[in-house]
Amino acid sequence: MFSKKLKVPRQNKIVPNANEIVEACKEMRKTIPEDKTLIRAIDTHDETQNYKYIHPEVHCGTDAVNADLVLAYMMDGIPFIFNGYEIADDNYHSIYANRFYGKNNSINWCKALTKDGIYRKKLIAKLSKIRKENEALYKGKLEWIENAYPDKLLSFVRTYKGKRLLVFINTSDKAVKINVE
């Protein structure tokens, strides 16, 4: 979701830490008028053409993409599910592909039957249900809050009409223990 903004080269397998994600989100929000809505996408056909492309499922791994999807659904804006993300597809996709050009540029629907694909479909269904049932997620304000692991843990509150929804997302590959007061 943040590779272009942070100029993170995917081919070198560098992934932003939680601090970098928070700062990128704050900077991005400054450029958008308050009455406008952001689209939260991990990637699109436009993005895949901007750098030497390695699919996020391959580059970061399915767990990281799952965390990124949770972030997209919990943040302000509209979550955007692009071409195969609903089944953990890992094929290269190009806007220039057609029946004459581009090998393997279609969704690998076999992924829908894998453990990751089945889990991803359930995750997106659950995230969609949570978002639909909580007005704070599509109408509320987002406030970043500090935590004990600023390089590993994203933490924010979504607030609307007196209701608050607290969100934590671990961006590292290690478990973190938190205390909520």
Side-chain angles (χ1 to χ4, degrees), residues 1-2 21 42 57 60-75 119-120 123 127 152 154 156 167-173:
M1 187 185 299
F2 303 100
I21 293 170
I42 296 173
E57 295 284 345
C60 300
T62 300
D63 289 342
V65 174
N66 288 341
D68 212 0
L69 287 166
V70 171
L71 180 61
Y73 272 82
M74 297 296 122
M75 288 188 72
Y119 178 83
R120 178 69 56 75
L123 174 65
L127 289 170
K152 297 178 181 172
L154 298 171
F156 55 91
V167 178
F168 292 98
I169 300 172
N170 182 357
T171 63
S172 76
D173 59 353

Side-chain angles (χ1 to χ4, degrees), residues 25-171:
C25 288
K26 287 179 179 179
E27 287 302 312
M28 190 183 310
R29 180 35 82 193
K30 287 178 189 175
T31 67
I32 307 295
E34 278 294 316
D35 63 335
K36 302 300 178 203
T37 302
L38 292 163
I39 294 176
R40 299 291 183 179
I42 296 173
D43 103 46
T44 68
H45 66 262
D46 296 321
E47 281 294 309
T48 63
Q49 306 309 311
N50 288 331
Y51 38 79
K52 189 173 182 176
Y53 183 71
I54 298 174
H55 198 289
E57 295 284 345
V58 175
H59 162 70
C60 300
T62 300
D63 289 342
V65 174
N66 288 341
D68 212 0
L69 287 166
V70 171
L71 180 61
Y73 272 82
M74 297 296 122
M75 288 188 72
D76 55 336
I78 300 168
F80 177 74
I81 306 301
F82 175 67
N83 208 29
Y85 275 90
E86 69 276 18
I87 61 160
D89 177 39
D90 57 3
N91 268 355
Y92 173 81
H93 299 280
S94 172
I95 192 172
Y96 304 112
N98 60 41
R99 65 184 180 174
F100 305 112
Y101 167 76
K103 66 175 191 177
N104 220 16
N105 279 298
S106 61
I107 296 172
N108 179 4
W109 287 104
C110 292
K111 294 292 281 188
L113 303 174
T114 66
K115 180 179 141 197
D116 289 340
I118 292 166
Y119 178 83
R120 178 69 56 75
K121 287 187 292 184
K122 289 178 182 177
L123 174 65
I124 289 176
K126 187 172 190 172
L127 289 170
S128 297
K129 184 175 190 262
I130 290 168
R131 188 171 174 89
K132 182 178 179 181
E133 293 173 351
N134 291 279
E135 284 184 296
L137 292 176
Y138 56 90
K139 291 182 180 178
K141 295 267 185 202
L142 182 144
E143 177 188 348
W144 294 99
I145 56 174
E146 292 183 14
N147 65 66
Y149 304 97
D151 60 328
K152 297 178 181 172
L153 192 66
L154 298 171
S155 53
F156 55 91
V157 176
R158 298 297 309 273
T159 307
Y160 184 71
K161 290 187 175 178
K163 293 185 179 179
R164 295 169 46 95
L165 183 65
L166 180 60
V167 178
F168 292 98
I169 300 172
N170 182 357
T171 63

